[in-house]
Amino acid sequence: MLQARQNLMRFKHLCSVSYRNYQVAITGAGSEIGQTISLLLRTNPSISKLVLHDTLQYTPGVVLDLSHIPSKSKVKGYVGEDTLDEALQGSNLVIAAGGIPQHSDNVNRSILSKNADFIKEVASSVSLVSPLPFFGIVTEPINTLVPLAAEAMRNQASHDPNKLFGITGVDALQAQTLYARESALIQSECIVPVIGGHSRETMVPLFSQATPRSKLTEEKSQELTAILRNATPERSESHSPTLSVAYAVSIFVNSVLEALNGETVQVNALVENNDFGTSFFSGLVDVGPKGVSEMRTYTDLYHHECVLLESSIKQLHKDVDVGKKIMELV
């Protein structure tokens, strides 16, 4: 009887999902990561309309390619800077995935300038949408570009700090993988919080808080932290983690659409938060229909995690200031 009741509840949940009616827009959709995100979202049952925008001239080909995938949702494409405002109208969620890919934390001025221009343009267009949609940023460097987006939207007098996110889920996925491998656990059943920021110098994986608990020592967790921050193939000079980042974005989108449907969910994101000595901070945050409500906090950290967190906050403060100063020069 209990199993039958659970199956009925699950069936009702699936039915309710299929009747949702949300519009999601991907800017920079013609990029490698933009295309991958679009593919993952094409058959999402909560999305009734998927909008792709880019300045790249082959974007219509991407849209045509996606249209061959059977789905109840509509897919529509826009090309050119002058179509961005139109493309975003009616969106419940906008994902910024364009710009130049970052293969390391050493971002040169040219890359930062071009990616900053992209985010400024998208943020300004998002500000024109009413009601204001949720806005998730994938473009690197997130530590700098999310604060920049916040300032750009404030300049338009249309900014809700609870609806702006830097999508950092890939950090938690990588920490989860390392922890499961080292602890001989099933990867999908592990959770490792990652807080601070989204870079080698600012991300702090909390193996002390990992679940399920294992016999991992503090010394070993410190080794894993060094691997995650400095030596993973995913963060090498020659490779950008397109697939895992896109997967993390799809998880973020699913969660936000659940939140818009009235549920309280948790997402890994860099958001506006003044609790740690800097105006932005990354971690696991509760999200509801109106956006961010609170960020999860932790106690009984390992000593090395406390040390890393202190240095992370100092660097994150610098990264945030860079984004704000870029807007001051506009």
Side-chain angles (χ1 to χ4, degrees):
M1 180 66 71
L2 178 60
Q3 184 63 50
R5 186 178 300 171
Q6 290 175 338
N7 289 339
L8 178 60
M9 292 177 64
R10 188 175 296 112
F11 173 75
K12 289 181 177 179
H13 173 72
L14 290 174
C15 287
S16 66
V17 168
S18 64
Y19 284 100
R20 293 177 190 170
N21 187 36
Y22 298 120
Q23 177 175 315
V24 177
I26 312 296
T27 60
S31 65
E32 183 179 5
I33 192 168
Q35 291 188 47
T36 309
I37 293 170
S38 300
L39 174 62
L40 291 174
L41 299 183
R42 173 66 178 120
T43 56
N44 188 311
S46 296
I47 299 175
S48 59
K49 185 177 182 180
L50 183 63
V51 177
L52 278 62
H53 178 276
D54 211 315
T55 57
L56 300 171
Q57 293 304 310
Y58 59 72
T59 302
V62 176
V63 177
L64 178 62
D65 200 6
L66 284 175
S67 71
H68 295 156
I69 300 173
S71 173
K72 292 184 179 180
S73 67
K74 298 179 181 178
V75 57
K76 185 173 179 60
Y78 293 83
V79 183
E81 294 181 1
D82 58 342
T83 65
L84 181 58
D85 292 348
E86 179 184 355
L88 301 189
Q89 288 303 312
S91 295
N92 303 101
L93 170 62
V94 176
I95 301 294
I100 301 174
Q102 178 181 336
H103 297 290
S104 74
D105 286 338
N106 299 317
V107 183
N108 63 44
R109 290 187 177 182
S110 176
I111 292 178
L112 178 59
S113 176
K114 291 179 180 179
N115 289 358
D117 287 343
F118 168 73
I119 292 300
K120 281 188 289 185
E121 183 177 4
V122 176
S124 296
S125 290
V126 169
S127 297
L128 301 177
V129 182
S130 181
L132 193 69
F134 282 62
F135 182 20
I137 295 176
V138 189
T139 307
E140 299 284 3
I142 284 177
N143 288 356
T144 294
L145 296 184
V146 174
L148 181 150
E151 293 303 312
M153 297 178 77
R154 284 192 181 93
N155 288 351
Q156 298 285 339
S158 179
H159 173 52
D160 183 347
N162 295 325
K163 291 187 175 182
L164 176 63
F165 305 81
I167 304 175
T168 62
V170 67
D171 296 336
L173 290 177
Q174 291 171 348
Q176 172 185 353
T177 300
L178 282 175
Y179 179 75
R181 185 183 303 157
E182 187 64 32
S183 304
L185 296 170
I186 299 174
Q187 181 181 348
S188 60
E189 297 178 355
C190 296
I191 298 175
V192 180
V194 180
I195 64 174
H198 182 67
S199 69
R200 288 177 178 172
E201 292 182 307
T202 60
M203 65 182 296
V204 183
L206 301 181
F207 290 106
S208 64
Q209 310 296 313
T211 57
R213 299 297 298 166
S214 73
K215 296 181 180 180
L216 196 71
T217 64
E218 180 171 357
E219 182 181 7
K220 191 61 182 180
S221 71
Q222 191 169 1
E223 292 179 15
L224 294 184
T225 298
I227 292 173
L228 187 63
R229 287 183 120 208
N230 303 311
T232 59
E234 293 88 348
R235 292 175 175 272
S236 68
E237 296 287 337
S238 60
H239 176 68
S240 180
T242 300
L243 301 179
S244 56
V245 169
Y247 179 72
V249 173
S250 71
I251 294 175
F252 172 83
V253 171
N254 287 336
S255 296
V256 166
L257 298 185
E258 292 285 342
L260 287 170
N261 201 48
E263 300 182 29
T264 298
V265 300
Q266 290 187 325
V267 301
N268 290 281
L270 180 82
V271 297
E272 291 198 43
N273 186 303
N274 295 303
D275 295 340
F276 300 90
T278 180
S279 53
F280 285 81
F281 198 80
S282 179
L284 197 61
V285 296
D286 289 337
V287 180
K290 295 183 179 180
V292 174
S293 57
E294 61 180 301
M295 178 175 287
R296 183 172 177 181
T297 57
Y298 306 91
T299 58
D300 300 323
L301 303 185
Y302 288 147
H303 174 71
H304 78 272
E305 293 172 344
C306 294
V307 173
L308 287 179
L309 181 57
E310 184 176 353
S311 62
S312 169
I313 290 173
K314 291 179 181 179
Q315 180 59 46
L316 183 57
H317 195 280
K318 295 177 183 178
D319 294 342
V320 170
D321 281 349
V322 170
K324 292 181 177 181
K325 288 178 179 178
I326 291 175
M327 283 307 303
E328 290 176 359
L329 298 175
V330 175

